[in-house]
Amino acid sequence: MAAAATCGSVAASTGSAVATASKNNVTSFQRRGPRASGTNDSGPRLVSIAGTRPSVRNGQLLVSTGLPALDQLLGGGLAVGTVLLIEEDKYNIYSPLLFKYFLAEGIVNGHTLLVASAKEDPANILQELPAPLLDDKCKKEFDEDVYNHKTPESNIKMKIAWRYQLLPKMEIGPVSSSRFGHYYDASKRMPQELIEASNWHGFFLPEKISSTLKVEPCSLTPGYTKLLQFIQNIIYEEGFDGSNPQKKQRNILRIGIQNLGSPLWGDDICCAENGGNSHSLTKFLYVLRGLLRTSLSACIITMPTHLIQNKAIIARVTTLSDIVVGLESFIGSERETNPLYKDYHGLIHIRQIPRLNNLICDESDVKDLAFKLKRKLFTIECITKLRSYDLRSQIYFLSRHLQRKFSIKKNPYFKEPHTLKKIY
Amino acid sequence: MFVELNNLLNTTPDRAEQGKLTLLCDAKTDGSFLVHHFLSFYLKANCKVCFVALIQSFSHYSIVGQKLGVSLTMARERGQLVFLEGLKSAVDVVFQAQKEPHPLQFLREANAGNLKPLFEFVREALKPIDSGEARWTYPVLLVDDLSVLLSLGMGAVAVLDFIHYCRATVCWELKGNVVVLVHDSGDAEDEENDILLNGLSHQSHLILRAEGLATGFCRDVHGQLRILWRRPSQPTVHRDQSFTYQYKIQDKSVSFFAKGMSPAVL
């Protein structure tokens, strides 16, 4: 597994007033050596962290987001030290799912969790986490659920439906015995013993709001200031930034903040266009990112951006976050009746991927992605199945063939070939 | 330093112009490759560089700099590079009470202040040492990026004042260069950002604008770069020169080509 950070000794400052004496600087952006895939032999000098792996592109340490399909779209996973911002869907139905997958992944890997919410008690959030699907049960679960005549098996070379082979592959099956990225059953709860065995910290705003502030308020709303103080405290006390001499921590801290920016946090950007503290949220994000960059932690934030009145703030928040993923559900919108979106529950937009330690980033070519929540699984798929423009007749014949061979339900828009012009 | 970009701008590290303000601007895409270019360019030109890096950490620039052939750690050790790491300093400012004024002091203040401590830091970093020997050719200030200062509570006027003071000191007094990056928010109606961008566009000598393609995402052409030379001090007798190129970013370099002449298309 990955070789963890050896504290790269940054040379002492040369008379610069600001380069504060930083001792062994544990940033998460250390270059991992090429021996990253080696096994742990006896007496290792470098400890590997469970649930992480180095990025193929630049050796960055990555953690899984809890959804292997999302990991693939983000270039392997979420880099340690970065912020994943989820723009909530309109009725906040699917973004809590992504939030819970992230936390569940942390529990399965043994990471420390920090859950912050202004709406729900973190203990209740943890009770509702989905149960992990273990390898031996996986195959049976998938045979019931998977729509297997639409997605190709990777090894079978297709003779008839050869155009499907050119489609990008989205993994929906379990990778056996993978220690990175697990599958979860959304209909079952995480077993109680796993939750109790994990190390977690909760921040529930109504409880903490009455305690006194240790830091002077710096024009952030009190809720944000307290949260920052709490996070910084945990990072220091448990040694995630390597500065505490008593604690030698070699684990990842997963931070989850729910509904940031909503009025429950005391912020008014969702209520008024030019409120009093319009810089509170952006300042909070900046300082949070500063904390994350200097510690072994990764953060997921869900934010109701559709409620923010001032569009400029959304642009600024996007710039200040590393990865931004937007969810758009079809409930109540005119797209619900569109036959193209019949099988899906919403669209997922990857709005931004960071370029870390690199000039380029792993942007995926597939831009039109949709998600659906089946009985047990949350899957992400590419909508447009066949994208070449000279394929009209082949689509028609192909669909007829597939109907006969796999007995697919007849799709209304494959009925007459001349109507394809309208759609394509 | 990207050799092709040097050719387009008609400069080399040996004979670069002095006393200029260069504005880097990006719209709908990431223009940080321009920052990496100028950082390595001025380090190779043996200039004293003060880099105010507000958006990423030191190791990010250091690793990319190694790909471009400069070592930021060595430059910092021998005093050529003064690096202000915004993210790390912000944590120090917010959580620990500082005795002496800190460049990012404004994070602690409730009202929009001014950027005077930051300017003092820059001036202190770039002032010439009176030791007799001239080790570095001329000072350079690099800021990545100014739009973050707006997000942190500064007004557009305060940021413009800061750039004005820096220009007066670095460009006019010390005969150095200033390079700043500003995001163009496009249709996001960020008025403060537009004020900042327009104000800087009128003051700068060279504007490099990286734009995403109007037609959307493309794997082979990552964007379009518009280069505009200006002479703000003289009345416009000559027209401002402007060129447009498309580019593709690779692992260690950026290749530029005329519009529509991408190697993937030809």
Side-chain angles (χ1 to χ4, degrees):
Chain A
M1 270 305 217
T6 50
C7 301
S9 53
V10 176
S13 59
T14 50
S16 155
V18 183
T20 50
S22 56
K23 335 71 180 175
N24 289 330
N25 195 359
V26 177
T27 60
S28 50
F29 291 166
Q30 297 287 342
R31 203 75 186 277
R32 306 286 171 242
R35 60 191 184 286
S37 55
T39 51
N40 285 338
D41 17 280
S42 59
R45 287 184 303 128
L46 305 164
V47 182
S48 66
I49 308 179
T52 62
R53 72 170 175 203
S55 150
V56 179
R57 180 175 286 285
N58 54 8
Q60 190 77 51
L61 196 62
L62 300 175
V63 293
S64 170
T65 53
L67 276 176
L70 188 61
D71 287 341
Q72 212 175 344
L73 291 167
L74 299 180
L78 178 64
V80 172
T82 58
V83 170
L84 166 61
L85 178 75
I86 309 261
E87 296 185 348
E88 290 176 7
D89 53 305
K90 205 160 156 203
Y91 300 104
N92 201 15
I93 298 176
Y94 300 106
S95 43
L97 274 177
L98 295 186
F99 189 76
K100 286 177 188 155
Y101 280 126
F102 186 83
L103 296 177
E105 183 70 26
I107 289 192
V108 169
N109 286 320
H111 297 159
T112 310
L113 298 184
L114 197 162
V115 187
S117 173
K119 197 164 68 164
E120 278 179 81
D121 197 348
N124 293 343
I125 297 178
L126 285 181
Q127 293 299 322
E128 292 173 1
L129 294 183
L133 280 172
L134 303 169
D135 285 335
D136 49 350
K137 288 197 289 181
C138 270
K139 284 276 183 305
K140 228 180 354 150
E141 308 279 356
F142 276 104
D143 284 341
E144 297 166 12
D145 285 342
V146 77
Y147 199 45
N148 53 12
H149 50 267
K150 268 200 173 168
T151 51
E153 292 291 330
S154 45
N155 293 329
I156 300 175
K157 198 161 162 7
M158 289 189 246
K159 296 195 194 75
I160 296 173
W162 57 275
R163 281 278 175 179
Y164 279 114
Q165 203 151 29
L166 300 176
L167 287 179
K169 293 186 178 26
M170 208 93 27
E171 261 190 42
I172 62 164
V175 179
S176 59
S177 66
S178 65
R179 287 163 65 195
F180 186 86
H182 298 83
Y183 290 88
Y184 296 93
D185 186 346
S187 58
K188 297 199 190 105
R189 299 270 161 263
M190 170 90 64
Q192 195 62 25
E193 53 269 10
L194 273 180
I195 302 178
E196 279 163 20
S198 66
N199 181 17
W200 63 273
H201 305 274
F203 180 94
F204 187 37
L205 187 65
E207 283 171 12
K208 308 270 182 178
I209 198 77
S210 45
S211 60
T212 53
L213 284 169
K214 263 194 286 182
V215 198
E216 356 172 321
C218 42
S219 92
L220 294 174
T221 44
Y224 294 155
T225 319
K226 290 217 168 65
L227 178 56
L228 272 179
Q229 188 181 312
F230 184 77
I231 295 176
Q232 195 261 348
N233 216 22
I234 300 285
I235 290 179
Y236 178 71
E237 294 289 315
E238 307 222 346
F240 287 104
D241 59 354
S243 63
N244 197 344
Q246 281 95 27
K247 270 272 194 166
K248 287 292 171 208
Q249 182 66 263
R250 279 293 164 230
N251 202 354
I252 305 279
L253 173 68
R254 284 189 184 231
I255 304 175
I257 308 178
Q258 215 176 23
N259 300 125
L260 192 68
S262 75
L264 289 171
W265 283 98
D267 201 353
D268 62 352
I269 54 174
C270 293
C271 317
E273 183 149 352
N274 287 314
N277 40 5
S278 49
H279 299 289
S280 198
L281 179 63
T282 41
K283 262 196 198 180
F284 170 82
L285 278 177
Y286 188 77
V287 181
L288 175 68
R289 226 158 133 250
L291 278 174
L292 292 179
R293 285 286 200 270
T294 50
S295 63
L296 284 173
S297 44
C299 180
I300 187 172
I301 301 180
T302 66
M303 190 181 290
T305 47
H306 57 98
L307 292 177
I308 295 182
Q309 305 283 323
N310 191 353
K311 302 292 167 219
I313 295 187
I314 304 179
R316 288 180 186 177
V317 161
T318 307
T319 318
L320 286 173
S321 321
D322 295 299
I323 307 184
V324 181
V325 172
L327 291 177
E328 181 192 336
S329 79
F330 294 146
I331 299 176
S333 81
E334 63 206 3
R335 295 189 185 190
E336 210 170 358
T337 48
N338 190 336
L340 192 62
Y341 298 138
K342 178 163 67 78
D343 296 324
Y344 302 104
H345 290 129
L347 298 176
I348 186 164
H349 307 279
I350 312 277
R351 299 206 200 273
Q352 181 175 279
I353 295 186
R355 296 167 192 229
L356 295 169
N357 298 347
N358 226 320
L359 287 170
I360 36 180
C361 58
D362 275 324
E363 227 176 322
S364 106
D365 285 349
V366 181
K367 296 289 174 190
D368 40 4
L369 299 158
F371 65 85
K372 63 180 141 174
L373 177 64
K374 295 193 261 211
R375 195 166 40 95
K376 290 179 182 173
L377 294 171
F378 185 97
T379 53
I380 300 178
E381 286 173 22
C382 168
I383 284 190
T384 29
K385 299 286 181 238
L386 297 160
R387 289 187 286 170
S388 295
Y389 39 84
D390 53 351
L391 265 187
R392 289 174 199 166
S393 51
Q394 292 200 25
I395 294 171
Y396 175 70
F397 290 124
L398 187 60
S399 81
R400 278 268 175 260
H401 168 82
L402 286 174
Q403 278 172 32
R404 268 179 267 131
K405 208 155 164 59
F406 298 108
S407 58
I408 307 181
K409 219 167 8 137
K410 258 173 96 174
N411 280 326
Y413 52 96
F414 282 149
K415 247 187 213 156
E416 295 117 33
H418 68 266
T419 59
L420 289 171
K421 285 187 200 141
K422 289 186 211 160
I423 299 170
Y424 290 97
Chain B
M1 173 174 91
F2 307 129
V3 181
E4 289 192 32
L5 187 54
N6 280 347
N7 293 339
L8 293 180
L9 293 176
N10 215 5
T11 58
T12 59
D14 311 321
R15 47 177 196 84
E17 290 181 322
Q18 291 180 244
K20 302 287 176 210
L21 168 65
T22 305
L23 174 65
L24 309 174
C25 172
D26 58 13
K28 287 202 218 157
T29 186
D30 191 359
S32 54
F33 70 98
L34 294 169
V35 175
H36 295 297
H37 162 82
F38 279 103
L39 178 60
S40 52
F41 179 88
Y42 285 119
L43 282 177
K44 283 191 182 167
N46 218 14
C47 302
K48 175 132 198 208
V49 178
C50 173
F51 190 8
V52 178
L54 297 172
I55 199 88
Q56 296 282 9
S57 57
F58 176 75
S59 44
H60 166 83
Y61 295 104
S62 167
I63 292 178
V64 181
Q66 273 175 350
K67 295 189 183 195
L68 299 183
V70 289
S71 167
L72 291 193
T73 20
M74 293 214 27
R76 196 158 74 164
E77 273 174 39
R78 56 173 191 252
Q80 190 187 7
L81 173 68
V82 177
F83 197 95
L84 171 60
E85 193 170 342
L87 289 172
K88 201 161 71 150
S89 314
V91 173
D92 293 334
V93 164
V94 169
F95 291 110
Q96 296 158 21
Q98 302 285 320
K99 284 146 224 119
E100 67 260 359
H102 191 274
L104 297 184
Q105 187 90 358
F106 58 89
L107 283 175
R108 294 181 76 84
E109 290 157 20
N111 303 319
N114 56 18
L115 288 165
K116 197 146 177 276
L118 189 58
F119 167 67
E120 299 287 333
F121 168 78
V122 170
R123 192 170 60 176
E124 185 65 34
L126 290 180
K127 74 169 184 222
I129 315 167
D130 311 316
S131 61
E133 44 161 286
R135 289 180 71 192
W136 317 115
T137 45
Y138 51 88
V140 172
L141 167 65
L142 201 56
V143 183
D144 178 22
D145 57 63
L146 280 184
S147 310
V148 171
L149 290 173
L150 296 178
S151 306
L152 293 177
M154 282 288 120
V157 178
V159 182
L160 282 172
D161 286 342
F162 164 70
I163 291 294
H164 179 80
Y165 270 81
C166 287
R167 228 165 43 102
T169 313
V170 178
C171 292
W172 188 79
E173 195 184 314
L174 300 172
K175 305 281 183 294
N177 285 342
V178 176
V179 181
V180 294
L181 174 75
V182 179
H183 290 300
D184 185 3
S185 51
D187 51 352
E189 295 154 13
D190 195 346
E191 288 170 5
E192 299 257 304
N193 204 7
D194 290 338
I195 295 174
L196 179 62
L197 188 60
N198 287 332
L200 284 177
S201 306
H202 283 292
Q203 295 176 25
S204 44
H205 297 91
L206 172 63
I207 303 180
L208 291 176
R209 207 181 139 88
E211 298 163 350
L213 293 177
T215 42
F217 169 74
C218 173
R219 211 173 0 159
D220 300 304
V221 178
H222 290 153
Q224 189 165 287
L225 181 71
R226 223 186 271 179
I227 306 175
L228 176 64
W229 278 278
R230 296 187 72 249
R231 281 158 189 78
S233 46
Q234 303 164 12
T236 49
V237 177
H238 315 278
R239 281 192 190 278
D240 300 334
Q241 270 186 313
S242 159
F243 294 120
T244 310
Y245 298 97
Q246 290 181 340
Y247 62 86
K248 176 174 180 179
I249 307 179
Q250 281 133 8
D251 192 37
K252 289 189 183 180
S253 66
V254 178
S255 61
F256 292 88
F257 33 86
K259 274 208 251 191
M261 307 286 261
S262 155
V265 170
L266 294 174

